[in-house]
Amino acid sequence: GIDITPSSGHPGKYLVLDYEKEQRNCRLNNCDAKAGNRQCDPECNKLACKFDEGDCNLGVNPWKRCNATSNGKPCAEIFKNGVCDPACNNEACLYDGRDCESEGAQSVCRPEYDGYCSENYNNGKCDAGCNNAACGWDGGDCAPDTD
């Protein structure tokens, strides 16, 4: 589930009610079926709808720095498919969706960071909370310049 614990001093009842309303809207908009289809559905790009499973990435192409292929397929096509593709296991190719980690645990960008990280992805400013594989390495904003 998603942690919607209110911060101290926040009237938590309203936060929970708002979140439940958003969840109902997600169901009405059939967001579960639309999620992860590589098409942005703005009505589903909300915390309660898990940000359309990343389909709305603000027009930023996270693969623009990845030129690698594995078995003749671009890394974007075989990303996070449960199979380690060593050619794609690097920062530019978003570490193959963590497929090469030995423990096999798949991590996701924490929902409370996901929206922020999506909005600030590859904006030229390093956001340490977004600089991890699950959040797409902040679009490379934290990588040292190689120019």
Side-chain angles (χ1 to χ4, degrees):
I2 296 174
D3 181 12
I4 58 167
T5 306
S7 58
S8 61
H10 187 280
K13 173 184 171 189
Y14 300 108
L15 180 64
V16 172
L17 292 176
D18 289 345
Y19 186 77
E20 289 172 352
K21 179 182 175 190
E22 284 297 325
Q23 283 183 313
R24 281 191 298 278
N25 287 337
C26 296
R27 287 189 295 275
L28 289 172
N29 289 318
N30 202 20
C31 291
D32 279 344
K34 297 175 184 177
N37 65 358
R38 296 185 182 190
Q39 179 178 347
C40 178
D41 301 290
E43 69 277 13
C44 301
N45 192 27
K46 300 178 182 339
L47 173 64
C49 308
K50 300 177 191 158
F51 295 103
D52 201 20
E53 292 294 340
D55 290 338
C56 303
N57 64 5
L58 304 176
V60 174
N61 178 3
W63 304 104
K64 72 179 180 181
R65 296 183 183 149
C66 178
N67 297 318
T69 60
S70 181
N71 297 319
K73 293 184 178 182
C75 293
E77 288 182 19
I78 52 176
F79 178 76
K80 203 173 183 177
N81 64 352
V83 177
C84 177
D85 298 287
C88 303
N89 190 27
N90 58 65
E91 184 176 355
C93 299
L94 306 176
Y95 293 97
D96 197 27
R98 301 184 75 179
D99 288 339
C100 297
E101 290 186 2
S102 59
E103 68 272 6
Q106 295 294 317
S107 178
V108 294
C109 191
R110 290 179 53 182
E112 61 267 32
Y113 293 124
D114 193 35
Y116 174 83
C117 294
S118 294
E119 290 173 14
N120 293 283
Y121 186 84
N122 195 17
N123 66 354
K125 179 181 172 222
C126 177
D127 297 291
C130 303
N131 190 32
N132 56 64
C135 297
W137 300 107
D138 198 25
D141 290 338
C142 299
D145 284 335
T146 56
D147 295 327

